[in-house]
Amino acid sequence: MTEETLLEVRGLRKYFPVKKGVLQRTVAEVKAVDGVDLSVDAGETVGLVGESGCGKTTTGRAILRLTEPTAGEIRFRRDGEMADVAAASPERLKLLRRDMQIIFQDPYSSLNPRMTVAEIVAEPLKIQGLMTRKEREAKAAELLAAVGLSKDHARRYPHEFSGGQRQRIGIARALSLNPKLIICDEPVSALDVSIQAQVINLLQDLQERFGLTYLFIAHDLSVVKHISNRVAVMYLGKIVELAPTRALFESPKHPYTEALMSAVPVADPDFKLERIPLEGDVPSPVNTPPGCHFHPRCRYAVEACRTLAPEYRAIGPGHFVRCHRADELSLRGLKSS
């Protein structure tokens, strides 16, 4: 941890109980997030990628305590000190959430259809007891302008807008309390490709204008490569690789990262990359494989991978990996664009 660290997560776990029988006894646990270590510095964008169901969204929600974590430390810098989010009282958590906001994935279900756009954008201010009604209305109009909407939109309802416009409303709402950290939970995955580019460019402009920090959750590596300073790759509830964006894309050290890279389209007819298919499905988080969780789908697996859990270790400047063979394998990445 440094003085620039805004968010520090250590050993984060979120297990969901599996209940059966008339008495609804817990017979197993779904290990959605299983020991995540992650830090985010002020002003940077950290991408969090992986297949659907690997625990990305649950990680983001657990950091904000929208879902209560099972275990782990969550520390957030506020007023020059690292506040303990995981142990914060409801009153303290309410204050912390002025600096920690989220943009949800679905721009349709995340907006209240009974509220006008102005009411939606100003709602965080109302909940926090900030500003008068007229001041909140003026702030909402200002934020709508910042995300590319006009003040005429303020009196309309969500059903009158397209998906891209609705996501802009969600972004404006996330900005209303002047947060330091915004968790972007796949904010463009539900949008058309042309609209995705507009929203990504908007997020980058807003980051520069307001000094924002992003934890950007996505499954599209092309988007993550474009917006992120560092990228964390998640598999079955664990981060298996973390590195600066260029280092990760040019020289991945985990076989799972290599397989994800091979599926990224490259706009260069002279650049050929062999597709590495991942055989089988992601193992059940209820019954995770012994040893390395990825070994049933890994073409480089040896006996140690099947029996011993790999250590999460540094192999280069800012480059961490969870793989027994990271030092000996020569994996293929993508050239920089």
Side-chain angles (χ1 to χ4, degrees), residues 220-222 225 249 260-275 332-337:
D220 188 333
L221 285 172
S222 298
K225 182 181 181 182
F249 277 83
L260 293 181
M261 297 292 179
S262 75
V264 177
V266 179
D268 183 348
D270 297 324
F271 183 70
K272 305 297 182 182
L273 185 66
E274 178 191 352
R275 179 75 172 89
R332 290 165 296 180
L334 295 174
K335 66 178 182 179
S336 296
S337 57

Side-chain angles (χ1 to χ4, degrees), residues 49 188 193 196 200 204 216 218-228 231 245 249 260-261 263-267 334 337:
V49 302
V188 298
V193 174
Q196 286 184 14
I200 290 297
Q204 290 182 307
F216 193 91
H219 61 265
D220 188 333
L221 285 172
S222 298
V223 171
V224 169
K225 182 181 181 182
H226 178 70
I227 197 173
S228 302
V231 179
T245 302
F249 277 83
L260 293 181
M261 297 292 179
V264 177
V266 179
L334 295 174
S337 57

Side-chain angles (χ1 to χ4, degrees), residues 108 162-164 188-199:
Y108 294 90
S162 66
V188 298
S189 64
L191 307 178
D192 293 338
V193 174
S194 60
I195 305 301
Q196 286 184 14
Q198 294 177 19
V199 173

Side-chain angles (χ1 to χ4, degrees), residues 82-96:
M82 297 301 288
D84 189 346
V85 178
S89 65
E91 294 78 13
R92 177 63 171 163
L93 186 59
K94 184 176 180 180
L95 288 175
L96 288 171

Side-chain angles (χ1 to χ4, degrees), residues 97-99 101 124-125 128 130 139 143 173-179:
R97 282 180 174 161
R98 294 185 183 186
D99 291 331
Q101 289 293 306
L125 295 166
Q128 293 283 344
L130 303 174
K139 181 69 172 179
L143 290 169
R173 177 178 58 188
L175 291 173
S176 63
L177 293 171
N178 298 319

